[in-house]
Amino acid sequence: MKIAVCVKQVPDSWAEKKMVNGLLDREGVDAVLNDLDEYAVEEALRIVEAHGGNGEGGAHTITLISMGPARTTDAVRKGLSMGADSAIIITDDALVGSDAIGTSKVLAGVIADQKFDLVLCGTESTDARMSVVPAMLAQRLGWAQLTFAGSVSVTPETSSVTITRETEAGIDTMKAQFPCVISVIEKINEPRYPSFKGIMAAKKKPMEVHSLSAIGLEAQSAWSAVVDATPRPAKAAGIKVVDEGAGGEALLNFLAEKKFI
Amino acid sequence: MSQVFILAEFSGDAPAKTVAELATAGAKAGSVTAVVLAAPGKGAALAGLITSGPIAEVVVIESDAFVKYSVPAAADAIAQLISARKADAFLVASSAYGKEVAARVAVQVESGLITDAVDVGADLTATQLVFGGSTTVHSRVSHGCAVITVRPNSVTPDLAASSPTITNATFDISASAQLAEVLSSAPFVKGGRPELTEAQIIVSGGRGTNGDFAVVEAFADSLGAAVGASRAATDAGWYPHSHQVGQTGKTVSPQLYVACGISGAIQHRAGMQTSKLIVAVNKDPDAPIFEIADFGVVGDLFAVLPKATEGVQARKS
Ligand SMILES: Cc1cc2nc3c(=O)[nH]c(=O)nc-3n(C[C@H](O)[C@H](O)[C@H](O)COP(=O)(O)OP(=O)(O)OC[C@H]3O[C@@H](n4cnc5c(N)ncnc54)[C@H](O)[C@@H]3O)c2cc1C
């Protein structure tokens, strides 16, 4: 199987974020691999490991695909140290400020060029939180869409995939043939920590970095734009009582005062 | 005047709350058409249930594909309808389903997409609260039809009676929309409690419950509230993942949010910070949740909650 995992470099989700000129300020905060994409890398590894593995001696390959600023290489390196085989990074000044529509176009362009069986993604990035790129990819590629997967089972012999789709609406079982776009939710697995061996090996793994024109694509201006962004006033400190037996009563009085009871 | 299309979803035998919310947001910009996607033979009955909210027209599209192929089938139907009718905007509720339908529609009709709006203005400018609600952003779609997903429970619905005209439409499903098939579907059974994203009051439990959600549920029930959970609680398997509030769970904005045994990590706050009133019950006086709480009780939730529950019940009777 030839598997691609789309990964994104994002500002650390533990950091406070702010906007500068209508765009997320990416300079001021640490950049990491999107936490949710780690689940997709892990799931890709589990899929190949259940069928003979990747890397030396394995029949399968896992390629990371990422679009982002030049320093994206650091975040992508983490996916390689977890066990992916290689990476393709698209970085271009013309891509600054891209929206999901533009991002999905670039990723689909890279994917369409190679004959992948499966493309895995996290369900959302922790910075933009839109949850739309996997569906856009499936639409653009004309592939089966198996998204919000809480479990994935792949049968390479018959090129088929079954997932459970887990959303607020309920749980669906869905089935499709290769090629598929799969997005995974965080409860699907527990991503491994890169081993020392994995970190060393990652330094030698192939990482192609391309500009847009090198892959035959043109930049497209974003189709949505921020008009203005205003930090909301910080909340004034509230009332705090220490429970010495009357905490429940104090809570009740507060709720009654606010007319909830 | 703009032509605004909305996706009307149903929960059981009634229009979802989001129908009137989307219509109310859309009516500021123009005339609202609600799209009903139904199984063959079921459309007229569903359309007939839409009797409130500022909706001028209901368009019914019937097909087995909406159940069998889900999101891609819905997106094909809507994309074809809004192209044919030259819609100025398409609004849909922000859920996994709604966002994915919007994503595929936006690609098909070559339009910009804005997700998680909390309001939409008369000129189709969307208001979003980003970074856990710490920043208010206004944005606009600058290309094509404005495809916008709107968070449930953020627009106050106009529930005035309406009697929309009902029309029927058909669509051609694409081959690629039929590639993934839904084999079986187990919708969550609605319990006695309100939906998390639609609730006026939410009581959430975290690691501090130590796996015992009974006191949290009892307090929630006394207030008619929905029950939420932190990731620590869902990861431990104490409460279903579908109830997780936060960065990778639901984003909620109720009138009252009560966090019990939840420390208030940035990723949890990202999902509840915009609640109108926040109450925290936590043993640790330095827990970060107190920084955003309007009212905090420093104490053991197993002592505080049962007393509060009893008190609410006593005042009700
Ligand atoms: C990418 C990413 C995404 C994440 N997404 C989410 C998300 O969507 N939602 C989410 O919630 N978290 C999320 N997290 C996890 C988050 O960082 C925290 O780990 C989590 O919110 C902690 O849950 P908690 O507050 O229940 O547990 P803890 O942080 O362990 O806090 C437990 C609290 O309970 C208190 N306590 C203990 N016993 C009692 C008692 N008897 N009475 C009263 N108080 C008591 C303690 O004082 C403590 O403050 C995410 C993390 C990452 C990295």
Side-chain angles (χ1 to χ4, degrees), chain A residues 12-14 34-36 39 126 129 186, chain B residues 205-210 229-235 238 244-250 257 260-271 281-289 297 299-303:
Chain A
D12 192 343
S13 76
W14 291 97
N34 176 33
D35 309 72
L36 296 172
Y39 297 85
T126 57
R129 304 200 54 198
E186 63 186 347
Chain B
R207 201 192 306 276
T209 62
N210 209 8
S230 74
R231 179 160 165 192
T234 59
D235 272 357
W238 298 340
Q244 182 174 316
V245 171
Q247 164 130 31
T248 49
K250 297 278 127 42
Y257 187 91
C260 310
I262 292 178
S263 61
I266 190 166
Q267 296 92 349
H268 187 77
R269 296 203 311 255
V281 181
N282 196 305
K283 275 205 300 213
D284 174 7
D286 298 323
I289 190 76
V297 181
D300 186 339
L301 68 92
F302 291 102

Side-chain angles (χ1 to χ4, degrees), chain B residues 143-237:
Chain B
H143 192 280
C145 165
V147 180
I148 302 173
T149 81
V150 182
R151 270 193 198 151
N153 221 7
S154 23
V155 176
T156 309
D158 165 2
L159 292 170
S162 60
S163 47
T165 57
I166 298 175
T167 48
N168 293 292
T170 55
F171 79 111
D172 296 315
I173 188 164
S174 63
S176 67
Q178 303 174 57
L179 293 172
E181 194 178 326
V182 179
L183 300 180
S184 66
S185 206
F188 287 125
V189 197
K190 294 233 177 347
R193 298 192 185 102
E195 277 294 290
L196 200 52
T197 50
E198 293 180 354
Q200 299 295 316
I201 307 177
I202 295 172
V203 181
S204 284
R207 201 192 306 276
T209 62
N210 209 8
D212 181 2
F213 261 68
V215 285
V216 172
E217 289 185 329
F219 188 50
D221 289 342
S222 75
L223 293 168
V227 176
S230 74
R231 179 160 165 192
T234 59
D235 272 357

